[in-house]
Amino acid sequence: MKKIIIAIDGYSSTGKSTIAKRVANTLQYVYIDTGAMYRAVTFLALKRGFISEGKQTLTIDKDSLLIALKQSIIRFEHNSELGVSEIYLNGQNIEKEIRGLSVASYVSEVAKIPEIRAYLVALQREMGREKGVVMDGRDIGTVVFPEAELKIFMTASEEIRAQRRFLELQQKGEVTTYEEVLQNIQKRDYEDTHRKESPLQKALEAIEIDNSSTTIEEVVQKIVSLVRDKK
Ligand code: DC
C-alpha cells in the first residue's frame, strides 16, 4: 500500500490532534503535531526570558529566540506505554508544560514570526520526507505540504470547542473558567486567520469536516476511508 501525506488543518481545539493520532495509529503512520512545535518554541522563549509584557505591549526578542532555537533540538518520541508520541526540547519531555494556559496565551505571537515559521516548516518537511505521516496544524496543506495527497480542513463551533477544552484543562487541574477558555479560543481564531504569515486557510482541494455533532471515531473512520479510496 503506497504511503501518502495526510495534512489536517483547522481551528484550535477542533479535535484535530486526537483525530490525527487515531488515524495515524489505524494506518500505522507517524503522527506529527506541528502545534506542539510552536508551543515548544514558546516554552523556550518563556523559559529563557525572551518574552516581556508591559501593560499594553508584548515584546519578543526574536533574534535571541531564533539563535536559541537553532541551538535546540525539538523531536518527537513514541511513548509505548501510553501509545502516544511526545515532544522533547533538548532532551526534556515538555508535553505537560506546553499544554498550559501560559504557553497558550503567547503561542500565537510566536507563531507570527516569519523566521521561526521558516525554521519549523523546514523541520516539518524533513519529518515528512518518507511519507506515511499524518501532520496537523494550520498551514500543512497550504504551505508545508501543498502536494499532500489528502487534505482535511477541520471545523467545529466555538462553544463546543471551548467546552471540550475547558473540560480538558479542568481534568489537568488548571484553574480557569469556561469564559476565559472561550475568549482564548476566539482570540486565537482571529490571530490564526488574520496574521500576515501563512494565515489559517482552507486549501482549495481540502475536504471540510465539521465535527460539532459527530464522534471522534466517526471522523477517524471517514478519513481512513478517504485514504483507502485513494488506492
Ligand atoms: O494546534 P495548537 O492549538 O496546538 O497550535 C498552537 C498555536 O500554534 C496556534 O495558535 C497556531 C499555531 N500554529 C501555527 O501557526 N501553525 C501550525 N502549523 C500549527 C500551529
Side-chain angles (χ1 to χ4, degrees):
M1 214 156 46
K2 208 178 109 231
K3 299 226 168 192
I4 64 166
I5 291 178
I6 305 171
I8 303 186
D9 290 304
Y11 296 99
S12 64
S13 302
T14 43
K16 287 189 307 293
S17 50
T18 311
I19 290 162
K21 253 179 248 171
R22 295 212 196 162
V23 169
N25 279 343
T26 310
L27 297 169
Q28 300 203 314
Y29 275 27
V30 173
Y31 165 61
I32 294 158
D33 174 356
T34 64
M37 297 170 77
Y38 287 94
R39 287 169 183 265
V41 179
T42 308
F43 173 75
L44 177 69
L46 287 167
K47 194 171 154 192
R48 302 274 176 98
F50 298 149
I51 298 181
S52 42
E53 199 169 10
K55 265 204 180 118
Q56 306 281 336
T57 56
L58 178 77
T59 317
I60 303 177
D61 179 351
K62 296 173 193 169
D63 296 338
S64 303
L65 178 56
L66 193 64
I67 292 169
L69 176 59
K70 287 183 176 169
Q71 291 168 345
S72 298
I73 297 176
I74 294 180
R75 64 182 172 85
F76 290 93
E77 197 178 299
H78 192 74
N79 178 331
S80 46
E81 229 168 84
L82 300 176
V84 294
S85 97
E86 297 181 321
I87 193 160
Y88 283 73
L89 175 71
N90 299 323
Q92 183 195 351
N93 181 328
I94 54 163
E95 268 303 315
K96 189 165 187 299
E97 289 79 353
I98 62 163
R99 306 291 168 193
L101 270 182
S102 138
V103 165
S105 335
Y106 298 108
V107 64
S108 298
E109 290 302 318
V110 171
K112 274 185 195 162
I113 306 171
E115 295 82 357
I116 300 287
R117 299 201 70 83
Y119 188 80
L120 291 186
V121 166
L123 266 183
Q124 290 153 10
R125 287 189 179 140
E126 185 53 34
M127 290 171 171
R129 203 162 45 93
E130 311 240 313
K131 302 216 176 184
V133 294
V134 184
M135 196 173 278
D136 79 355
R138 305 293 189 286
D139 58 346
I140 312 306
T142 50
V143 175
V144 184
F145 289 116
E147 74 285 14
E149 290 86 348
L150 179 62
K151 300 182 186 180
I152 305 291
F153 192 79
M154 201 78 78
T155 61
S157 79
E158 265 177 18
E159 292 75 16
I160 296 255
R161 290 188 284 139
Q163 190 58 36
R164 288 176 183 163
R165 181 91 185 108
F166 174 59
L167 289 175
E168 211 177 279
L169 287 169
Q170 261 194 332
Q171 277 161 10
K172 285 183 187 160
E174 291 256 1
V175 182
T176 183
T177 60
Y178 167 80
E179 283 69 28
E180 196 180 0
V181 176
L182 180 63
Q183 272 172 22
N184 183 269
I185 281 181
Q186 287 167 333
K187 180 168 169 275
R188 283 208 285 154
D189 282 359
Y190 185 84
E191 295 192 354
D192 287 346
T193 49
H194 287 78
R195 70 175 176 223
K196 231 168 53 198
E197 276 300 310
S198 314
L200 170 63
Q201 277 174 339
K202 178 173 174 272
L204 273 183
E205 59 287 40
I207 296 166
E208 184 164 336
I209 300 181
D210 182 330
N211 70 30
S212 304
S213 53
T214 49
T215 65
I216 297 281
E217 201 43 43
E218 282 169 332
V219 181
V220 172
Q221 286 317 318
K222 181 172 170 108
I223 297 174
V224 168
S225 72
L226 286 168
V227 175
R228 298 204 162 124
D229 286 350
K230 297 244 160 226
K231 302 283 144 43

